[in-house]
Amino acid sequence: MTATLNTIPEILTSIEAGVMTLTINRLDKKNSLTADMYAAMADAIEAAQHDSSVRAFVIQGHETIFSAGNDISDFLNKPPSKQDAPVFRFLRGISSFSKPVVAAVCGPAVGIGTTMLLHCDLIYAGDNAAFSLPFVNLGLCPEAASSFLVPQLMGYPRAAEALLLGEPFRVESALEMGLINRIVPPGEANALAQQQARKLASKPMSSLIETKRLMKKGNAGVVAERMMEEAASFGRMLTEPAAKEAFTAFLGKRKPDFSAL
Ligand code: COA
């Protein structure tokens, strides 16, 4: 049986065979994420956490694009300033979600499109997937505890290329570093994520939850603390001149000029 939840057209959710599936669906803007979309995503995760019929969670985009990250107009016009902003609510929700999360990622995964993956358990990527963390290029700093988790995952030198230079990395590097589980043709990623989530959903829930808790226990405290610290800096930097220059440049389809900043 499929149940469709009340969300918004840009965030589709359904529950089938014990799996809640969340689809990012804003193709005309490359699946960039607005405050309303984060709120819907946070609500879906919260509902999945409390609904005992949900035993695994899938996040997916389109086979051409996972997400272009935060909506830049939203960054400019309604920057998240408080810890209870929808984006931070979503990040806290996914990072502390106790049941397994499977992601299918195809095409670009920019900013939070990549950092949210650090909180997923299994990730299946299309061979067109590309990951980038362009926070510095936008006058910002990392979020989602990525300043801790990215160096831990890939080592400091490669983290510096990704986070200081903001250089994208391709799917093969992501596989080699252990960010993702498998590379598949883009048309197969969502189906594989679904298949793996259903496998998880058929296993004993208490064992899954306890195993995930134990695997994450070493990082849990520092992840929560780092997310708070990053959010405070990120919120402040969003309204500073470097970020404003980056956002107006993106929206005006020109290169940013940081020479005076
Ligand atoms: N916020 C708002 N709008 C966005 C967006 C974002 N993050 N990313 C893309 N869009 C919009 C573009 O402005 C464009 O809108 P328009 O058709 O009204 O002009 C539309 O989506 C298509 O984007 P475009 O850049 O033409 O697509 P592309 O295929 O050439 O490139 C990306 C795709 C994802 C590589 C590119 O859009 C990109 O780099 N986006 C910004 C990523 C970013 O910096 N995100 C913030 C991370 S913290």
Side-chain angles (χ1 to χ4, degrees):
M1 191 190 95
T2 307
T4 302
L5 304 177
N6 267 338
T7 47
I8 55 175
E10 294 86 1
I11 296 295
L12 306 174
T13 50
S14 61
I15 301 175
E16 194 172 355
V19 177
M20 183 186 283
T21 303
L22 184 156
T23 306
I24 308 171
N25 181 42
R26 192 185 182 219
L27 270 181
D28 59 328
K29 294 288 178 187
K30 299 286 168 184
N31 280 353
S32 55
L33 298 165
T34 62
D36 288 347
M37 291 165 74
Y38 290 124
M41 291 163 85
D43 289 348
I45 286 176
E46 202 178 312
Q49 182 64 61
H50 294 115
D51 183 343
S52 58
S53 75
V54 175
R55 303 165 66 87
F57 195 90
V58 169
I59 299 186
Q60 62 188 20
H62 186 260
E63 64 182 64
T64 60
I65 175 93
F66 182 62
S67 172
N70 206 104
D71 182 287
I72 302 275
S73 304
D74 249 27
F75 262 164
L76 200 57
N77 301 323
K78 33 180 173 167
S81 57
K82 301 210 178 91
Q83 298 282 352
D84 63 354
V87 58
F88 300 132
R89 203 157 65 78
F90 163 67
L91 287 174
R92 279 197 301 277
I94 192 168
S95 70
S96 61
F97 191 66
S98 68
K99 305 173 192 181
V101 182
V102 184
V105 184
C106 300
V110 186
I112 197 166
T114 289
T115 60
M116 74 169 84
L117 303 176
L118 300 166
H119 303 282
C120 297
D121 301 294
L122 299 171
I123 301 170
Y124 299 100
D127 57 21
N128 60 347
F131 306 85
S132 60
L133 301 163
F135 301 113
V136 166
N137 300 340
L138 293 167
L140 299 171
C141 69
E143 30 84 304
S146 56
S147 64
F148 170 70
L149 293 170
V150 170
Q152 186 186 61
L153 179 73
M154 55 179 84
Y156 191 88
R158 286 199 282 190
E161 275 187 344
L163 282 168
L164 294 179
L165 280 173
E167 285 191 347
F169 51 97
R170 292 209 41 87
V171 71
E172 296 79 12
S173 311
L175 182 66
E176 184 236 322
M177 291 185 285
L179 174 65
I180 62 171
N181 291 82
R182 206 183 300 175
I183 303 173
V184 296
E188 293 175 18
N190 288 2
L192 178 58
Q194 198 60 228
Q195 183 191 318
Q196 298 295 73
R198 287 185 188 197
K199 262 192 224 165
L200 288 163
S202 71
K203 296 185 189 292
M205 211 49 228
S206 56
S207 291
L208 285 176
I209 289 176
E210 188 59 3
T211 302
K212 176 167 174 170
R213 185 188 74 77
L214 288 164
M215 287 202 294
K216 296 226 158 204
K217 185 177 159 76
N219 276 351
V222 61
V223 163
E225 189 192 323
R226 186 67 61 89
M227 280 195 350
M228 295 272 284
E229 186 175 348
E230 290 172 342
S233 300
F234 198 95
R236 172 176 50 76
M237 295 175 91
L238 275 171
T239 60
E240 290 180 349
K244 288 201 164 156
E245 166 58 13
F247 303 156
T248 47
F250 176 79
L251 296 172
K253 301 190 187 293
R254 65 168 171 84
K255 276 194 177 314
D257 176 5
F258 299 123
S259 56
L261 298 168

